[in-house]
RNA sequence: GGCCCUAUCGUCUAGAGGCCUAGGACGCCGGCCUCUCACGCCGGUAACACGGGUUCAAAUCCCGUUGGGGCUACCA
């Protein structure tokens, strides 16, 4: 039988990484087995669901590359795929339950239910609906409805126990005395989650229900529903919760939690997928941990998913992201970095070919310093920035400048550059000037390059000098929002400050 | 409160009774490379929550304790 899986989010907020992992594991199973991945929206909670979130959710999924074969936007023969469009279906199935005597109308008021629950809690009793309306006569039910009362429909829980085998948690069992008669249809006629979920999964012929661990105990209710409805039971696989650094469920106070935030911070979709796939799942040892999406699909196996909750570790995500960043060509990387530079006002909004080429070079030099695309603006800023007044006050820089030899190097460097007729200081010019110092002054190694670095950048550390010389000079020729300073101007500025 | 689930280095994890003196990855620390920072390479630090069983043998099986998560809604 062909695998059919689904991701069924509620549009009640931005897409959380925990949910992404759920979507991912579903998607991986579908892609691994050549099955179908369905996107369904569970929006039966009218108060919290918003169209805006649904839109964003779709965008996030697309950005991640988790494409679906059936459902929202795609359509399919099992639609509609939004639960608010499926109420007739739920009512129809509820009707069957009612006819079979497995469900009943409940007229208990919200107040009564609340009071009862409170009392049960205070007395330390199991908290569940006591079943007051369970044995109401058909006549009474009928007249009360005719009088205009709006009942809920509840499931009549049978005696005995219910158990099922979860693909990751194994066999689980519960005694049905632990479960109260729960609501199927609300008094306004809409469906409650567990019921809608079962009807949808069954009607959509879902073969594997892969979802968060929070639903593990809901599954008992759902299995019972499948039984009452006489529908074939799908396989279940529950995924452990993702925790924050303090061991509680990952939430906003732990920092970024939504896909949108990670995208905005400059994480690559493939890296996010790679990292999330590693939470609770282990690739075969030989594969290593930095994997392409294709590699993950190829080695994915639900049987290797573990049960214990995992803590979200930003340091490891950074490592994975960095690793993915390093695999990109400079050109591809540049195109991804440019929007981040533009957002910080470092690059103009409209980029021409020369600037793009320049960014490619820069990104190649600075790439090893970046964890995320969002790190680049700061790095490029550092490269472009030249503020001798402030930077020369740095103790490390001071120490270099105070060396008599350093002063000789900087002055000679300035002189050599000024004597060179080339309008632009490119790498060849730079090299010529440096070689001359070595020959004439006999200075080399540390004593040579440290002052050269200070002369060029007014800093004590940074990327390799021979790599930055060209891009620094070129930056001065580019029309950047904040004009960059040319090599000669830099060296002269530093040399001038030597006198004081 | 009741029920369900869970527990290996700081973190993600390997581990399906002897292969475990517990392996890998991230982080951290150290070394090498090097004008510097970083990258890279090499090395190191560090864990079976606790207490009882079962067994010739337990990280692995059972029971309990403790910690964590979830459900117990006319939320999903």
């Amino acid at each position: 039988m062909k695998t059919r899986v689904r991701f069924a989010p509620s549009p009640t907020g931005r897409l959380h990484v925990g949910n992404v992992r759920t979507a991912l594991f579903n998607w991986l199973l579908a892609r691994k087995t050549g099955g179908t991945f369905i996107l369904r929206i569970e929006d039966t909670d009218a108060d919290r669901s918003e169209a805006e979130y649904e839109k964003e959710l779709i965008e996030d999924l697309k950005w991640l590359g988790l494409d679906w074969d059936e459902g929202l936007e795609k359509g399919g023969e099992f639609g509609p795929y939004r639960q608010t469009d499926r109420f007739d279906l739920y009512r129809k199935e509820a009707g069957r339950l009612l006819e079979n005597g497995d469900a009943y109308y409940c007229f208990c008021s919200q107040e009564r239910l609340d009071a009862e629950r409170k009392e049960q809690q205070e007395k330390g009793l199991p908290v569940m609906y006591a079943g007051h309306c369970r044995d109401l006569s058909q006549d009474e039910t009928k007249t009360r409805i005719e009088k205009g009362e709006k009942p809920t429909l509840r499931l009549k829980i049978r005696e005995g126990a219910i158990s099922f085998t979860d693909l990751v948690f194994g066999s689980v069992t519960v005694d049905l005395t632990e479960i109260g008669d729960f609501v199927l249809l609300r008094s306004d006629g809409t469906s409650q989650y567990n019921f809608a979920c079962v009807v949808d999964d069954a009607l959509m012929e879902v073969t594997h229900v892969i979802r968060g661990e929070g639903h593990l105990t809901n599954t008992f209710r759902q299995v019972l529903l499948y039984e009452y409805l006489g529908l074939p039971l799908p396989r279940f696989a529950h995924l452990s919760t993702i925790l924050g650094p303090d061991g509680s469920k990952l939430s906003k106070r732990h920092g970024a939690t939504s896909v949108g935030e990670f995208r905005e911070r400059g994480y690559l979709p493939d890296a996010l997928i790679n990292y999330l796939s590693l939470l609770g799942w282990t690739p075969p040892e030989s594969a290593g941990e930095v994997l392409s999406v294709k590699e993950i699909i190829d080695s994915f196996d639900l049987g290797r998913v573990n049960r214990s909750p995992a803590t979200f570790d930003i340091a490891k995500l950074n490592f994975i992201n960095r690793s993915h960043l390093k695999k990109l060509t400079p050109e591809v990387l540049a195109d991804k970095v440019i929007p981040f530079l533009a957002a910080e006002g470092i690059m103009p909004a409209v980029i021409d070919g020369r600037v793009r080429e320049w960014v490619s070079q820069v990104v190649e030099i600075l790439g090893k310093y970046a964890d995320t695309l969002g790190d680049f603006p700061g790095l490029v800023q550092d490269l472009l920035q030249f503020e001798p007044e402030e930077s020369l006050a740095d103790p490390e820089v001071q120490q270099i400048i105070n060396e008599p030899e350093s002063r000789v190097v900087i002055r000679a460097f300035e002189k050599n550059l000024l004597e060179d007729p080339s309008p632009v200081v490119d790498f060849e010019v730079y090299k010529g000037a440096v070689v001359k110092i070595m020959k004439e002054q006999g200075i080399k190694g540390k004593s040579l390059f440290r002052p050269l670095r200070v002369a060029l950048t007014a800093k004590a550390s940074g990327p390799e000098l021979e790599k930055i010389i060209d891009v620094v000079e070129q930056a001065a020729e580019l029309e950047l929002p904040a004009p960059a300073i040319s090599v000669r101007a830099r060296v002269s500025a530093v040399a001038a400050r030597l006198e004081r």
Side-chain angles (χ1 to χ4, degrees):
Chain A
M1 191 169 62
K2 211 178 160 201
T3 305
R4 288 176 59 81
V5 293
R6 87 297 195 280
F7 177 52
S10 302
T12 55
R14 301 186 83 181
L15 186 58
H16 186 275
V17 288
N19 289 121
V20 172
R21 192 177 55 140
T22 302
L24 174 63
F25 282 38
N26 274 287
W27 182 83
L28 287 172
L29 185 68
R31 293 297 169 259
K32 170 85 182 183
T33 60
T36 303
F37 180 51
I38 306 164
L39 177 63
R40 176 172 88 214
I41 292 290
E42 306 208 330
D43 56 349
T44 59
D45 182 0
D47 292 343
R48 296 197 301 147
S49 295
E50 283 179 33
E52 189 51 40
Y53 287 132
E54 183 181 305
K55 228 181 93 189
E56 191 179 317
L57 198 121
I58 288 172
E59 280 169 20
D60 287 343
L61 251 19
K62 285 180 180 170
W63 177 74
L64 286 163
L66 301 183
D67 57 330
W68 55 102
D69 312 297
E70 193 179 311
L72 248 61
E73 292 190 341
K74 288 265 178 176
E77 52 181 312
F78 299 92
Y81 293 93
R82 198 179 276 111
Q83 287 189 330
T84 45
D85 295 331
R86 298 175 62 83
F87 286 131
D88 288 347
L89 261 15
Y90 307 140
R91 270 176 224 127
K92 193 177 144 213
E93 294 302 316
R96 288 175 53 204
L97 255 19
L98 200 53
E99 269 173 39
N100 297 342
D102 292 326
Y104 62 92
Y105 285 110
C106 168
F107 297 89
C108 295
S109 70
Q110 191 64 256
E111 292 72 33
R112 176 177 185 182
L113 261 18
D114 288 344
E116 224 167 58
R117 191 174 313 122
K118 203 178 152 207
E119 193 185 329
Q120 287 167 340
Q121 270 163 358
E122 280 166 4
K123 287 188 179 170
L125 263 34
V127 178
M128 69 173 83
Y129 177 61
H132 305 291
C133 301
R134 197 172 185 161
D135 299 315
L136 249 38
S137 70
Q138 284 204 328
D139 286 347
E140 184 177 352
T141 299
K142 206 174 153 206
T143 49
R144 287 177 75 166
I145 290 175
E146 277 165 1
K147 259 169 49 193
E149 282 193 59
K150 298 274 185 233
T152 59
L153 188 72
R154 286 181 185 272
L155 189 72
K156 198 179 281 181
I157 306 289
R158 66 164 168 83
E159 294 189 340
I162 203 100
S163 63
F164 66 94
T165 300
D166 188 275
L167 260 21
V168 348
F169 282 90
S171 169
V172 282
T173 306
V174 76
D175 194 298
L176 285 174
T177 55
E178 301 294 336
I179 296 178
D181 291 352
F182 62 94
V183 170
L184 266 19
L185 256 32
R186 304 186 186 106
S187 51
D188 63 2
T190 62
S191 175
Q192 187 269 346
Y193 166 73
N194 281 300
F195 186 54
C197 183
V198 166
V199 172
D200 289 345
D201 287 337
L203 262 36
M204 291 179 185
E205 297 178 10
V206 168
T207 58
H208 299 252
V209 173
I210 305 172
R211 80 240 289 199
E213 188 190 346
H215 293 293
L216 189 66
T217 43
N218 276 329
T219 308
F220 292 123
R221 284 160 239 272
Q222 298 190 4
V223 169
L224 192 62
L225 243 14
Y226 279 99
E227 177 190 310
Y228 281 6
L229 256 12
L231 295 166
L233 201 64
R235 310 275 271 154
F236 292 98
H238 288 86
L239 270 20
S240 66
T241 318
I242 296 182
L243 273 19
D246 63 353
S248 67
K249 202 171 167 175
L250 185 69
S251 66
K252 279 129 294 170
R253 70 195 161 87
H254 296 119
T257 55
S258 69
V259 183
E261 286 169 285
F262 286 102
R263 179 179 55 227
E264 287 149 20
R265 290 182 187 200
Y267 287 91
L268 263 20
D270 287 13
L272 204 51
I273 282 178
N274 189 173
Y275 176 67
L276 257 16
S277 77
L278 259 22
L279 253 31
W281 171 74
T282 315
E285 298 109 271
S286 56
E289 289 190 330
V290 178
L291 303 164
S292 69
V293 174
K294 186 182 179 303
E295 288 171 315
I296 297 170
I297 294 171
D298 289 345
S299 49
F300 185 70
D301 177 8
L302 254 190
R304 284 187 74 83
V305 174
N306 76 8
R307 297 182 271 253
S308 43
T311 304
F312 192 87
D313 181 17
I314 198 81
K316 183 132 185 186
L317 203 214
N318 284 341
F319 162 76
I320 299 282
N321 198 247
R322 203 192 305 146
S323 305
H324 280 258
L325 239 26
K326 279 178 188 154
K327 290 185 175 179
L328 301 176
T329 64
E331 291 73 25
V332 172
L333 218 206
D335 283 338
K336 291 182 188 297
V337 166
I338 285 168
F340 285 84
L341 297 177
E344 294 298 319
I346 296 170
M347 291 288 127
V350 183
I351 304 282
D352 64 23
R354 263 174 63 217
V355 174
R356 188 168 171 270
E357 166 59 26
W358 182 82
V359 175
S360 298
Q361 289 182 56
V362 166
V363 128
E364 198 172 5
I365 296 166
L366 299 177
K368 62 184 175 187
Y369 295 97
D371 283 341
T372 66
L373 298 173
D375 288 340
F376 281 96
L379 293 167
V380 173
Q381 194 77 264
D382 272 350
L383 184 74
L384 258 24
Q385 191 187 52
F386 180 74
E387 284 164 350
E389 209 60 61
E390 290 171 33
S391 308
L392 293 181
D394 175 57
E396 246 185 293
V397 176
Q398 282 287 344
Q399 211 192 347
I400 296 168
I401 289 185
N402 289 338
E403 291 289 332
E405 257 189 340
S406 297
R407 292 165 174 262
V408 171
V409 169
I410 294 171
R411 291 204 180 96
F413 189 41
E414 186 195 19
K415 181 167 159 284
N416 294 350
L417 287 181
L418 294 177
E419 280 172 0
D420 192 293
S422 309
V424 170
V425 180
D426 60 13
F427 179 68
E428 288 306 317
V429 174
Y430 159 80
K431 206 170 95 185
V434 174
V435 169
K436 218 170 156 191
I437 298 172
M438 288 200 282
K439 274 191 192 156
E440 292 176 359
Q441 317 293 339
I443 299 173
K444 54 183 180 175
K446 254 186 178 140
S447 323
L448 205 210
F449 289 101
R450 294 178 77 200
L452 281 181
R453 174 174 295 284
V454 170
L456 284 163
T457 67
K459 293 183 185 81
S461 66
E464 296 86 333
L465 287 173
E466 65 269 24
K467 286 188 180 169
I468 63 173
I469 192 83
D470 278 329
V471 295
V472 164
E473 184 74 344
Q474 283 166 27
E477 300 166 51
L478 261 24
E479 281 167 29
L480 301 179
I485 298 164
S486 73
V487 168
R488 281 195 184 93
R490 286 173 173 230
V491 176
S492 292
V494 172
R497 280 173 175 78
L498 247 34
E499 310 308 329
R500 293 187 254 152

